[in-house]
Amino acid sequence: MNQKNNVTRRDFVQKATLATGAASLGFTNFMKAQGRGVKSKSPLSIDSFKTAFQREPLINSYGFKGGYITRLWQVVSQLQDSSGNKTIGLGVNAPLWSDSKVTSVWGESGGNSAMFNLTCRALQMIEGQSFETPIHMVEDILDEVWAYGTKITNNADLRTTFALNCLTSIDNSAWMLYAKQNNIASFTDLIPDKYKTAFSYRSDKIASIPSISYSTSIADIEKLKDEGYFFIKIKIGAPGSQQVMLEKDMQRMEQIHKIFSTELAKTNPERKIVYYLDANGRYESKGTLKRLLDHCKKIKVLDKIAIVEEPFPESLDVDVSDLGVRIAADESAHTDTDALKRIEMGYTGIALKPMGKTLSMTIKIAKLAHDRNIPCFCTDLTVNPVLVDWNKCIASLLKPFPGQDVGLLETNGGQNYRNWETMIGYHPMGRAPWNQTQNGLFTLGQDFYEESGGVFHELEHYKSLFED
C-alpha cells in the first residue's frame, strides 16, 4: 500500500523526524537574453512549500551495484510564490545508486528516510528566497545540503550525487514555477540561452533501452528480444568478491548473448544488437575489467559493446583511454567539474540523469560535454512515467549517439514497478503515441514537441497528496 506523508513549513520538525525514523504548463515563449531588446526574465521567487512521498513496490527485487532494492520512494515537492502560483515537482529516491555506503549502514528504508529528511531541509533553505534561475538555486544550496547530509548519515565522505538526488523533486518544481513566472510554455524554450547549443538536435526517434539486472529472468530477457529491443543495458558487477563477481559477469554475458546471438531477424531486422554494460563502480582494478573484456572478445561480444558505464570506484584515478571500448561516466560525474575530470581521464561518454541529479546540473554537464565533443545519452533511475517524459525531453534534443542514427534513453520502470499501469494513469498524457515502444524505439512526432511530452500538464494525482 502506498504511504503518504506531508510536510509543511509549520510542522516540518515533527514530520521530518518521522521521516528520518521511518522514513501544467508547457515549455514556450522563453525570453531572449538581455540586451536583445526583450524584457529580462523574472527571477525564481519561492514563498512556501509542501512535500510528500509515496512508496511504490517493485515486481521483484532489482539488483545492481552489488545490492538490491525492493521499492522506490516517489518524492513530491510543491512550491508556491507570493502570487499564488503553485507547481508540483517529482523525484525518485535512489540511495543505493547515489551512495551505497549509506544503504550498507542504514538499509533500504533508512537510506530513503535520510534522503527525504535532506529534501525537507533543502526546502526550508529556499523558503522565502529568490534566485536568478533554478540553476542558480541548486548552485547556491548544494554545498549546505551536502554538509547537512554528512551529519544525518554520519558519513563524512557522502557522495555529492546523494545530495543532488535529494534535490531532484525541488529542482523539478522550481523549473515549473520559473516557467509560470515567466510565461514559458515549451521545454526547448525553458533551457537558458547559454546552454542551448548542447540541445540543438531534434530527434524523430529514440532508442528505448531496457535494463537487465542480476535478477532479470531468462523468460523476461527472451521477451525483450521478442519485442524487438536492440540496445540492451546489462547490469554487471554481481555480488561477491572480485573473483566471484568476474566469474558471474562472464557467465551472465554468455547467457544473455546466447539469447540475442540470433540477432533480430524476425522482430526487428533493420537493427543489430548493441550491449551497454553498467558496472556501477564495482570493478576495483583495470586488470579485472580487461579480463571481462577479453572474455567478451572470446565469445564474440566485444564488437557489440557500445558503452561500458562507470566501471571503477570513483576514488580510482586511472586512465581508461586504452581499454578499447567507450567508457562512460555516470555517478562519478556528480557535477560539471567532476565530469571534466572524467573526460581528462579518457572517458568518452557521459550518462545524463536529469531526474537523478537534477535538470539544472544535467544542463551544465551536457554543455560541458558538448563543448568537448563528448557524446551524451540519457539514463533512467527507474523513474515514474511523468519523469520518463522529462528524460525524453532531454534525450530528444541530444545528437544521435556515435554508431547509431537515433538518440538513447534508458527506461526500465515498466519492467520493474508492480503498479506501472496505474502509474501511467497519473501522467495526463501517459498513453500518448510517443510513449508507445515499437521495435525498441520511441517515435516522436510534432505532437511530442508541441506538448513537451505532456510534462507541463497538471498532475492531479500528485496534487491530491496535499489536500486536507
Side-chain angles (χ1 to χ4, degrees):
M1 179 181 296
N2 287 336
Q3 303 295 317
K4 176 177 176 180
N5 187 25
N6 288 330
V7 179
T8 63
R9 179 65 182 88
R10 183 181 304 168
D11 61 5
F12 168 80
V13 174
Q14 293 174 316
K15 296 296 185 177
T17 301
L18 175 63
T20 304
S24 339
L25 268 172
F27 277 137
T28 322
N29 300 327
F30 190 76
M31 301 291 185
K32 301 297 182 182
Q34 285 182 287
R36 298 187 185 178
V38 180
K39 181 181 177 182
S40 61
K41 294 179 289 298
S42 298
L44 169 68
S45 178
I46 300 164
D47 185 62
S48 61
F49 71 82
K50 292 182 180 179
T51 189
F53 66 85
Q54 289 187 305
R55 296 185 184 96
E56 287 289 351
L58 304 184
I59 299 169
N60 300 297
S61 59
Y62 182 48
F64 66 100
K65 214 163 193 172
Y68 294 87
I69 57 175
T70 61
R71 61 187 63 81
L72 286 165
W73 287 30
Q74 314 293 304
V75 180
V76 188
S77 292
Q78 177 181 281
L79 299 180
Q80 182 172 341
D81 65 16
S82 58
S83 298
N85 291 312
K86 293 180 182 179
T87 55
I88 294 290
L90 305 181
V92 176
N93 280 358
L96 176 60
W97 168 75
S98 60
D99 197 324
S100 58
K101 289 182 181 179
V102 175
T103 53
S104 69
V105 174
W106 296 95
E108 183 177 11
S109 294
N112 276 290
S113 297
M115 287 197 120
F116 187 68
N117 192 319
L118 205 54
T119 297
C120 293
R121 175 64 186 128
L123 284 163
Q124 279 189 315
M125 291 167 56
I126 65 173
E127 184 180 37
Q129 303 297 315
S130 293
F131 306 91
E132 185 176 341
T133 67
I135 292 175
H136 291 85
M137 178 192 74
V138 171
E139 289 175 343
D140 285 356
I141 69 173
L142 179 57
D143 287 347
E144 188 174 342
V145 170
W146 174 83
Y148 183 73
T150 64
K151 294 178 181 178
I152 65 173
T153 62
N154 195 31
N155 179 5
D157 297 320
L158 187 72
R159 303 178 78 246
T160 306
T161 292
F162 191 93
L164 285 165
N165 193 195
C166 297
L167 293 176
T168 302
S169 65
I170 303 172
D171 178 77
N172 190 233
S173 190
W175 279 106
M176 297 296 287
L177 188 60
Y178 183 71
K180 280 192 174 184
Q181 292 169 344
N182 287 281
N183 298 315
I184 297 170
S186 80
F187 185 82
T188 52
D189 287 342
L190 189 69
I191 298 171
D193 286 353
K194 67 182 289 186
Y195 300 102
K196 285 186 183 295
T197 54
F199 303 97
S200 58
Y201 201 80
R202 186 177 171 124
S203 294
D204 59 0
K205 286 183 171 57
I206 293 176
S208 175
I209 304 176
S211 178
I212 297 176
S213 81
Y214 313 146
S215 51
T216 305
S217 69
I218 295 300
D220 284 341
I221 297 172
E222 290 176 338
K223 183 181 178 184
L224 293 175
K225 178 187 175 182
D226 293 342
E227 292 175 350
Y229 288 94
F230 64 93
F231 209 110
I232 309 297
K233 182 173 183 175
I234 302 169
K235 290 288 190 179
I236 58 173
S241 67
Q242 289 290 287
Q243 184 59 36
V244 169
M245 174 195 74
L246 179 61
E247 291 173 357
K248 287 183 178 179
D249 285 352
M250 288 178 175
Q251 293 169 5
R252 189 65 159 163
M253 289 303 300
E254 290 182 24
Q255 189 180 54
I256 292 170
H257 186 55
K258 183 177 181 180
I259 295 171
F260 284 103
S261 60
T262 56
E263 299 293 340
L264 301 166
K266 293 182 180 179
T267 56
N268 195 356
E270 296 182 359
R271 299 286 173 179
K272 293 185 180 296
I273 286 295
V274 182
Y275 296 127
Y276 155 20
L277 311 186
D278 183 8
N280 289 116
R282 281 278 292 150
Y283 276 68
E284 295 177 1
S285 73
K286 197 172 178 179
T288 306
L289 181 61
K290 284 183 176 180
R291 289 174 63 190
L292 175 67
L293 296 176
D294 287 344
H295 184 72
C296 288
K297 183 176 182 179
K298 178 181 177 181
I299 62 174
K300 303 187 186 319
V301 169
L302 187 62
D303 63 344
K304 301 180 186 299
I305 297 175
I307 304 165
V308 177
E309 181 182 288
E310 206 66 45
F312 306 122
E314 184 178 346
S315 58
L316 189 63
D317 192 352
V318 58
D319 185 274
V320 300
S321 59
D322 61 347
L323 285 170
V325 292
R326 185 181 299 276
I327 307 296
D330 180 15
E331 300 100 303
S332 62
H334 310 279
T335 67
D336 51 332
T337 301
D338 299 313
L340 177 58
K341 180 180 179 181
R342 294 292 152 183
I343 292 170
E344 291 171 345
M345 290 165 60
Y347 285 70
T348 53
I350 301 288
L352 301 178
K353 269 194 169 69
M355 298 304 116
K357 291 186 280 190
T358 74
L359 176 61
S360 291
M361 189 59 71
T362 294
I363 288 172
K364 294 174 65 176
I365 293 171
K367 177 63 163 59
L368 174 124
H370 175 271
D371 291 349
R372 288 156 180 77
N373 200 31
I374 299 295
C376 293
F377 55 102
C378 213
T379 60
D380 188 52
L381 202 69
T382 313
V383 296
N384 58 60
V386 175
L387 295 185
V388 170
D389 269 343
W390 276 94
N391 284 338
K392 206 174 292 171
C393 285
I394 285 286
S396 68
L397 303 178
L398 300 174
K399 291 181 180 179
F401 200 74
Q404 300 294 315
D405 59 357
V406 294
L408 305 182
L409 173 61
E410 181 219 350
T411 172
N412 61 69
Q415 296 174 257
N416 291 296
Y417 281 108
R418 186 184 301 171
N419 301 319
W420 183 252
E421 287 300 313
T422 300
M423 295 169 72
I424 289 175
Y426 301 161
H427 183 353
M429 303 195 77
R431 300 191 187 280
W434 62 77
N435 285 318
Q436 311 306 312
T437 303
Q438 185 172 12
N439 288 335
L441 291 167
F442 291 115
T443 299
L444 310 181
Q446 183 64 25
D447 55 347
F448 169 80
Y449 289 98
E450 289 176 352
E451 294 285 353
S452 294
V455 300
F456 287 82
H457 288 268
E458 295 291 338
L459 303 176
E460 297 300 334
H461 167 76
Y462 296 107
K463 283 174 61 179
S464 71
L465 300 181
F466 303 110
E467 295 175 359
D468 295 331

Short mmCIF file of all heavy atoms in Angstrom, two decimals, residues 204-251:
data_model
loop_
_atom_site.label_atom_id
_atom_site.label_comp_id
_atom_site.label_asym_id
_atom_site.label_seq_id
_atom_site.Cartn_x
_atom_site.Cartn_y
_atom_site.Cartn_z
N ASP A 204 13.52 12.35 -34.27
CA ASP A 204 12.17 11.82 -34.53
C ASP A 204 12.03 10.41 -33.96
O ASP A 204 10.92 9.89 -33.87
CB ASP A 204 11.83 11.84 -36.01
CG ASP A 204 12.81 11.03 -36.87
OD1 ASP A 204 13.76 10.45 -36.32
OD2 ASP A 204 12.61 10.98 -38.09
N LYS A 205 13.16 9.82 -33.55
CA LYS A 205 13.14 8.50 -32.90
C LYS A 205 14.21 8.44 -31.82
O LYS A 205 15.28 9.03 -31.96
CB LYS A 205 13.38 7.38 -33.92
CG LYS A 205 12.20 7.10 -34.84
CD LYS A 205 12.49 5.93 -35.77
CE LYS A 205 11.26 5.49 -36.53
NZ LYS A 205 10.62 6.55 -37.31
N ILE A 206 13.90 7.72 -30.75
CA ILE A 206 14.84 7.49 -29.66
C ILE A 206 14.81 6.01 -29.31
O ILE A 206 13.73 5.42 -29.19
CB ILE A 206 14.46 8.31 -28.41
CG1 ILE A 206 14.62 9.81 -28.66
CG2 ILE A 206 15.31 7.92 -27.22
CD1 ILE A 206 14.16 10.66 -27.50
N ALA A 207 15.98 5.42 -29.15
CA ALA A 207 16.04 4.02 -28.72
C ALA A 207 15.57 3.92 -27.28
O ALA A 207 16.04 4.64 -26.40
CB ALA A 207 17.46 3.48 -28.85
N SER A 208 14.63 3.02 -27.03
CA SER A 208 14.17 2.73 -25.67
C SER A 208 15.02 1.59 -25.13
O SER A 208 14.96 0.46 -25.64
CB SER A 208 12.69 2.32 -25.70
OG SER A 208 12.25 1.92 -24.43
N ILE A 209 15.81 1.88 -24.11
CA ILE A 209 16.79 0.91 -23.62
C ILE A 209 16.27 0.25 -22.35
O ILE A 209 16.13 0.90 -21.31
CB ILE A 209 18.14 1.60 -23.33
CG1 ILE A 209 18.65 2.32 -24.58
CG2 ILE A 209 19.16 0.58 -22.84
CD1 ILE A 209 19.92 3.11 -24.36
N PRO A 210 15.99 -1.05 -22.39
CA PRO A 210 15.60 -1.77 -21.18
C PRO A 210 16.84 -2.14 -20.37
O PRO A 210 17.97 -2.06 -20.87
CB PRO A 210 14.92 -3.02 -21.72
CG PRO A 210 15.64 -3.28 -23.02
CD PRO A 210 16.01 -1.92 -23.56
N SER A 211 16.62 -2.54 -19.13
CA SER A 211 17.74 -2.88 -18.25
C SER A 211 17.61 -4.31 -17.76
O SER A 211 16.56 -4.72 -17.27
CB SER A 211 17.77 -1.92 -17.06
OG SER A 211 18.82 -2.24 -16.17
N ILE A 212 18.70 -5.07 -17.91
CA ILE A 212 18.76 -6.44 -17.40
C ILE A 212 19.58 -6.43 -16.13
O ILE A 212 20.79 -6.18 -16.16
CB ILE A 212 19.38 -7.39 -18.45
CG1 ILE A 212 18.50 -7.44 -19.71
CG2 ILE A 212 19.56 -8.78 -17.86
CD1 ILE A 212 19.09 -8.28 -20.82
N SER A 213 18.94 -6.67 -15.00
CA SER A 213 19.64 -6.67 -13.71
C SER A 213 20.05 -8.10 -13.36
O SER A 213 19.78 -9.05 -14.09
CB SER A 213 18.76 -6.07 -12.62
OG SER A 213 17.83 -7.02 -12.13
N TYR A 214 20.67 -8.25 -12.19
CA TYR A 214 21.07 -9.59 -11.74
C TYR A 214 19.87 -10.52 -11.64
O TYR A 214 20.00 -11.73 -11.86
CB TYR A 214 21.73 -9.53 -10.35
CG TYR A 214 22.78 -8.49 -10.13
CD1 TYR A 214 22.92 -7.89 -8.89
CD2 TYR A 214 23.66 -8.10 -11.14
CE1 TYR A 214 23.89 -6.93 -8.64
CE2 TYR A 214 24.63 -7.15 -10.91
CZ TYR A 214 24.74 -6.56 -9.67
OH TYR A 214 25.70 -5.61 -9.44
N SER A 215 18.72 -9.95 -11.30
CA SER A 215 17.55 -10.78 -11.01
C SER A 215 16.59 -10.92 -12.19
O SER A 215 15.54 -11.56 -12.07
CB SER A 215 16.79 -10.20 -9.80
OG SER A 215 16.54 -8.83 -9.97
N THR A 216 16.91 -10.33 -13.35
CA THR A 216 16.04 -10.47 -14.52
C THR A 216 16.05 -11.91 -15.00
O THR A 216 17.11 -12.49 -15.25
CB THR A 216 16.48 -9.53 -15.66
OG1 THR A 216 16.54 -8.18 -15.16
CG2 THR A 216 15.50 -9.59 -16.82
N SER A 217 14.88 -12.50 -15.15
CA SER A 217 14.78 -13.91 -15.52
C SER A 217 15.08 -14.13 -17.00
O SER A 217 14.99 -13.21 -17.82
CB SER A 217 13.38 -14.43 -15.21
OG SER A 217 12.43 -13.84 -16.08
N ILE A 218 15.42 -15.37 -17.33
CA ILE A 218 15.66 -15.75 -18.73
C ILE A 218 14.41 -15.47 -19.56
O ILE A 218 14.49 -14.97 -20.69
CB ILE A 218 16.06 -17.23 -18.82
CG1 ILE A 218 17.41 -17.46 -18.13
CG2 ILE A 218 16.14 -17.67 -20.29
CD1 ILE A 218 18.55 -16.68 -18.70
N ALA A 219 13.25 -15.79 -19.01
CA ALA A 219 12.00 -15.57 -19.74
C ALA A 219 11.80 -14.09 -20.05
O ALA A 219 11.37 -13.73 -21.17
CB ALA A 219 10.82 -16.10 -18.91
N ASP A 220 12.15 -13.22 -19.12
CA ASP A 220 11.99 -11.78 -19.35
C ASP A 220 13.02 -11.27 -20.35
O ASP A 220 12.73 -10.35 -21.13
CB ASP A 220 12.12 -11.02 -18.03
CG ASP A 220 10.88 -11.14 -17.16
OD1 ASP A 220 9.81 -11.49 -17.69
OD2 ASP A 220 10.98 -10.89 -15.93
N ILE A 221 14.21 -11.85 -20.35
CA ILE A 221 15.23 -11.46 -21.34
C ILE A 221 14.78 -11.88 -22.74
O ILE A 221 14.88 -11.11 -23.70
CB ILE A 221 16.59 -12.09 -21.00
CG1 ILE A 221 17.09 -11.57 -19.65
CG2 ILE A 221 17.62 -11.77 -22.09
CD1 ILE A 221 18.34 -12.27 -19.14
N GLU A 222 14.25 -13.08 -22.84
CA GLU A 222 13.75 -13.55 -24.14
C GLU A 222 12.58 -12.70 -24.62
O GLU A 222 12.44 -12.44 -25.82
CB GLU A 222 13.33 -15.02 -24.02
CG GLU A 222 14.52 -15.97 -23.84
CD GLU A 222 14.10 -17.39 -23.63
OE1 GLU A 222 12.95 -17.62 -23.19
OE2 GLU A 222 14.93 -18.30 -23.89
N LYS A 223 11.77 -12.22 -23.69
CA LYS A 223 10.65 -11.35 -24.05
C LYS A 223 11.15 -10.04 -24.67
O LYS A 223 10.56 -9.53 -25.63
CB LYS A 223 9.80 -11.08 -22.82
CG LYS A 223 8.56 -10.23 -23.10
CD LYS A 223 7.77 -9.98 -21.83
CE LYS A 223 6.56 -9.09 -22.10
NZ LYS A 223 5.82 -8.77 -20.85
N LEU A 224 12.23 -9.50 -24.10
CA LEU A 224 12.80 -8.27 -24.65
C LEU A 224 13.22 -8.47 -26.11
O LEU A 224 12.98 -7.61 -26.96
CB LEU A 224 14.00 -7.83 -23.82
CG LEU A 224 13.72 -7.36 -22.39
CD1 LEU A 224 15.03 -7.08 -21.67
CD2 LEU A 224 12.83 -6.13 -22.38
N LYS A 225 13.83 -9.60 -26.38
CA LYS A 225 14.23 -9.88 -27.76
C LYS A 225 13.02 -10.03 -28.65
O LYS A 225 12.97 -9.47 -29.76
CB LYS A 225 15.07 -11.15 -27.81
CG LYS A 225 15.48 -11.50 -29.24
CD LYS A 225 16.17 -12.84 -29.32
CE LYS A 225 16.43 -13.19 -30.77
NZ LYS A 225 17.07 -14.51 -30.92
N ASP A 226 12.02 -10.75 -28.17
CA ASP A 226 10.81 -10.96 -28.97
C ASP A 226 10.08 -9.66 -29.28
O ASP A 226 9.39 -9.57 -30.29
CB ASP A 226 9.86 -11.93 -28.24
CG ASP A 226 10.42 -13.34 -28.15
OD1 ASP A 226 11.35 -13.66 -28.91
OD2 ASP A 226 9.93 -14.12 -27.28
N GLU A 227 10.24 -8.67 -28.40
CA GLU A 227 9.57 -7.38 -28.61
C GLU A 227 10.41 -6.42 -29.46
O GLU A 227 10.00 -5.29 -29.71
CB GLU A 227 9.23 -6.75 -27.26
CG GLU A 227 8.15 -7.52 -26.50
CD GLU A 227 7.89 -6.96 -25.11
OE1 GLU A 227 8.68 -6.09 -24.67
OE2 GLU A 227 6.91 -7.39 -24.48
N GLY A 228 11.60 -6.86 -29.89
CA GLY A 228 12.39 -6.09 -30.83
C GLY A 228 13.36 -5.10 -30.22
O GLY A 228 13.94 -4.28 -30.94
N TYR A 229 13.59 -5.16 -28.92
CA TYR A 229 14.58 -4.26 -28.32
C TYR A 229 15.97 -4.62 -28.83
O TYR A 229 16.31 -5.80 -28.93
CB TYR A 229 14.53 -4.35 -26.79
CG TYR A 229 13.30 -3.72 -26.20
CD1 TYR A 229 12.17 -4.50 -25.92
CD2 TYR A 229 13.26 -2.36 -25.92
CE1 TYR A 229 11.02 -3.92 -25.38
CE2 TYR A 229 12.12 -1.78 -25.37
CZ TYR A 229 11.01 -2.55 -25.11
OH TYR A 229 9.88 -1.99 -24.59
N PHE A 230 16.76 -3.62 -29.14
CA PHE A 230 18.05 -3.89 -29.76
C PHE A 230 19.22 -3.26 -29.00
O PHE A 230 20.37 -3.67 -29.16
CB PHE A 230 18.07 -3.40 -31.21
CG PHE A 230 17.90 -1.91 -31.37
CD1 PHE A 230 19.00 -1.08 -31.45
CD2 PHE A 230 16.63 -1.35 -31.42
CE1 PHE A 230 18.85 0.30 -31.59
CE2 PHE A 230 16.46 0.02 -31.57
CZ PHE A 230 17.57 0.86 -31.64
N PHE A 231 18.98 -2.20 -28.21
CA PHE A 231 20.03 -1.57 -27.42
C PHE A 231 19.78 -1.99 -25.97
O PHE A 231 18.84 -1.54 -25.34
CB PHE A 231 19.97 -0.05 -27.56
CG PHE A 231 21.30 0.63 -27.40
CD1 PHE A 231 21.94 1.23 -28.48
CD2 PHE A 231 21.94 0.67 -26.17
CE1 PHE A 231 23.16 1.87 -28.34
CE2 PHE A 231 23.16 1.29 -26.02
CZ PHE A 231 23.78 1.90 -27.11
N ILE A 232 20.62 -2.87 -25.44
CA ILE A 232 20.33 -3.57 -24.19
C ILE A 232 21.32 -3.18 -23.10
O ILE A 232 22.53 -3.33 -23.27
CB ILE A 232 20.38 -5.10 -24.38
CG1 ILE A 232 19.52 -5.54 -25.59
CG2 ILE A 232 19.95 -5.82 -23.12
CD1 ILE A 232 18.05 -5.23 -25.43
N LYS A 233 20.79 -2.69 -21.98
CA LYS A 233 21.64 -2.37 -20.83
C LYS A 233 21.74 -3.59 -19.93
O LYS A 233 20.72 -4.21 -19.58
CB LYS A 233 21.05 -1.20 -20.04
CG LYS A 233 21.91 -0.78 -18.85
CD LYS A 233 21.38 0.50 -18.21
CE LYS A 233 22.26 0.97 -17.08
NZ LYS A 233 21.84 2.28 -16.52
N ILE A 234 22.96 -3.93 -19.54
CA ILE A 234 23.21 -5.10 -18.70
C ILE A 234 23.94 -4.65 -17.44
O ILE A 234 25.01 -4.04 -17.50
CB ILE A 234 24.07 -6.14 -19.44
CG1 ILE A 234 23.38 -6.57 -20.74
CG2 ILE A 234 24.34 -7.35 -18.55
CD1 ILE A 234 24.26 -7.39 -21.66
N LYS A 235 23.35 -4.95 -16.29
CA LYS A 235 24.00 -4.65 -15.02
C LYS A 235 25.05 -5.71 -14.72
O LYS A 235 24.72 -6.89 -14.52
CB LYS A 235 22.95 -4.63 -13.89
CG LYS A 235 21.99 -3.45 -13.96
CD LYS A 235 22.67 -2.15 -13.58
CE LYS A 235 21.67 -1.02 -13.42
NZ LYS A 235 22.32 0.25 -13.04
N ILE A 236 26.32 -5.30 -14.73
CA ILE A 236 27.40 -6.19 -14.34
C ILE A 236 27.85 -5.78 -12.94
O ILE A 236 27.28 -4.89 -12.33
CB ILE A 236 28.56 -6.18 -15.36
CG1 ILE A 236 29.12 -4.75 -15.52
CG2 ILE A 236 28.08 -6.71 -16.71
CD1 ILE A 236 30.37 -4.68 -16.39
N GLY A 237 28.88 -6.45 -12.43
CA GLY A 237 29.32 -6.16 -11.07
C GLY A 237 28.51 -6.95 -10.06
O GLY A 237 28.05 -6.42 -9.04
N ALA A 238 28.33 -8.24 -10.32
CA ALA A 238 27.49 -9.10 -9.48
C ALA A 238 27.99 -9.13 -8.03
O ALA A 238 29.17 -8.87 -7.76
CB ALA A 238 27.47 -10.51 -10.05
N PRO A 239 27.11 -9.44 -7.08
CA PRO A 239 27.52 -9.50 -5.67
C PRO A 239 28.62 -10.53 -5.45
O PRO A 239 28.70 -11.54 -6.16
CB PRO A 239 26.23 -9.92 -4.95
CG PRO A 239 25.13 -9.52 -5.85
CD PRO A 239 25.66 -9.69 -7.25
N GLY A 240 29.46 -10.28 -4.45
CA GLY A 240 30.53 -11.22 -4.12
C GLY A 240 31.89 -10.58 -4.24
O GLY A 240 32.04 -9.39 -4.54
N SER A 241 32.93 -11.38 -3.99
CA SER A 241 34.30 -10.91 -4.14
C SER A 241 34.58 -10.56 -5.59
O SER A 241 33.78 -10.87 -6.49
CB SER A 241 35.27 -12.01 -3.69
OG SER A 241 35.21 -13.11 -4.59
N GLN A 242 35.72 -9.94 -5.83
CA GLN A 242 36.06 -9.56 -7.19
C GLN A 242 36.15 -10.79 -8.12
O GLN A 242 35.69 -10.74 -9.27
CB GLN A 242 37.38 -8.79 -7.21
CG GLN A 242 37.27 -7.39 -6.61
CD GLN A 242 36.47 -6.43 -7.48
OE1 GLN A 242 36.93 -5.99 -8.52
NE2 GLN A 242 35.26 -6.11 -7.04
N GLN A 243 36.68 -11.88 -7.62
CA GLN A 243 36.76 -13.08 -8.45
C GLN A 243 35.39 -13.67 -8.70
O GLN A 243 35.06 -14.06 -9.83
CB GLN A 243 37.67 -14.13 -7.78
CG GLN A 243 37.90 -15.38 -8.61
CD GLN A 243 38.54 -15.10 -9.96
OE1 GLN A 243 39.38 -14.22 -10.10
NE2 GLN A 243 38.12 -15.85 -10.98
N VAL A 244 34.58 -13.75 -7.66
CA VAL A 244 33.21 -14.26 -7.81
C VAL A 244 32.42 -13.37 -8.76
O VAL A 244 31.71 -13.85 -9.65
CB VAL A 244 32.52 -14.36 -6.44
CG1 VAL A 244 31.02 -14.63 -6.61
CG2 VAL A 244 33.16 -15.44 -5.59
N MET A 245 32.55 -12.06 -8.59
CA MET A 245 31.88 -11.10 -9.46
C MET A 245 32.26 -11.32 -10.91
O MET A 245 31.39 -11.39 -11.80
CB MET A 245 32.26 -9.67 -9.04
CG MET A 245 31.75 -8.58 -9.96
SD MET A 245 32.58 -6.98 -9.65
CE MET A 245 34.19 -7.32 -10.41
N LEU A 246 33.55 -11.43 -11.18
CA LEU A 246 34.03 -11.60 -12.54
C LEU A 246 33.47 -12.88 -13.16
O LEU A 246 32.99 -12.88 -14.31
CB LEU A 246 35.55 -11.62 -12.56
CG LEU A 246 36.21 -11.83 -13.92
CD1 LEU A 246 35.84 -10.70 -14.88
CD2 LEU A 246 37.73 -11.92 -13.77
N GLU A 247 33.51 -13.97 -12.42
CA GLU A 247 33.00 -15.24 -12.94
C GLU A 247 31.51 -15.16 -13.23
O GLU A 247 31.04 -15.64 -14.27
CB GLU A 247 33.29 -16.36 -11.94
CG GLU A 247 34.78 -16.69 -11.82
CD GLU A 247 35.07 -17.69 -10.71
OE1 GLU A 247 34.11 -18.08 -10.00
OE2 GLU A 247 36.25 -18.07 -10.54
N LYS A 248 30.76 -14.52 -12.32
CA LYS A 248 29.31 -14.38 -12.54
C LYS A 248 29.03 -13.48 -13.74
O LYS A 248 28.12 -13.76 -14.54
CB LYS A 248 28.65 -13.80 -11.29
CG LYS A 248 28.55 -14.78 -10.13
CD LYS A 248 27.81 -14.13 -8.96
CE LYS A 248 27.65 -15.10 -7.80
NZ LYS A 248 26.96 -14.45 -6.63
N ASP A 249 29.80 -12.41 -13.89
CA ASP A 249 29.58 -11.50 -15.01
C ASP A 249 29.90 -12.18 -16.35
O ASP A 249 29.21 -11.98 -17.35
CB ASP A 249 30.44 -10.24 -14.85
CG ASP A 249 29.88 -9.29 -13.80
OD1 ASP A 249 28.75 -9.52 -13.32
OD2 ASP A 249 30.57 -8.30 -13.47
N MET A 250 30.97 -12.98 -16.36
CA MET A 250 31.30 -13.73 -17.59
C MET A 250 30.18 -14.68 -17.96
O MET A 250 29.76 -14.76 -19.13
CB MET A 250 32.60 -14.50 -17.38
CG MET A 250 33.86 -13.65 -17.34
SD MET A 250 35.33 -14.70 -17.04
CE MET A 250 36.65 -13.51 -17.18
N GLN A 251 29.67 -15.39 -16.97
CA GLN A 251 28.58 -16.34 -17.22
C GLN A 251 27.32 -15.61 -17.69
O GLN A 251 26.62 -16.07 -18.60
CB GLN A 251 28.28 -17.14 -15.96
CG GLN A 251 29.40 -18.08 -15.55
CD GLN A 251 29.19 -18.67 -14.15
OE1 GLN A 251 28.16 -18.45 -13.50
NE2 GLN A 251 30.19 -19.39 -13.66
#
